[in-house]
């Protein structure tokens, strides 16, 4: 989380480096990163609107879930 959280929204998360879409492509706004001996897939996904009084980590996770379901 950014140091400014909850005023600033989450921006990135990491997943297993071999995660791909059903067609084998990388999801949008991702890069493969080597961290130590393991490869990770970094997602730079952030909501277009963020209200620190209403949004939370839960709403961010819901945003990520919606994006993943759309990506297929």
């Amino acid at each position: 989380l950014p140091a400014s959280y909850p005023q600033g929204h989450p921006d990135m998360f990491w997943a297993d480096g071999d995660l791909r879409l059903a067609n084998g492509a990388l999801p949008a706004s991702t890069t493969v990163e080597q961290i130590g001996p393991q490869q990770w897939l970094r997602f730079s996904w952030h909501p277009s609107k963020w209200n620190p009084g209403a949004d939370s980590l839960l709403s961010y996770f819901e945003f990520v879930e919606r994006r993943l379901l759309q990506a297929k």
Side-chain angles (χ1 to χ4, degrees):
L1 291 174
S4 61
Y5 179 83
Q7 305 306 334
H9 57 72
D11 180 35
M12 291 184 246
F13 65 95
W14 286 258
D16 287 335
D18 59 353
L19 179 66
R20 298 292 185 272
L21 299 177
N23 67 4
L26 287 170
S29 301
T30 61
T31 56
V32 177
E33 293 186 349
Q34 187 77 31
I35 302 174
Q38 189 168 349
Q39 282 193 338
W40 294 91
L41 188 59
R42 183 186 75 185
F43 288 73
S44 181
W45 288 3
H46 48 280
S48 59
K49 295 181 182 179
W50 180 260
N51 178 347
D55 289 312
S56 65
L57 284 178
L58 179 58
S59 62
Y60 181 69
F61 292 145
E62 290 167 345
F63 160 76
V64 167
E65 181 178 40
R66 284 190 305 274
R67 288 274 315 257
L68 287 170
L69 288 172
Q70 292 169 355
K72 297 185 180 184

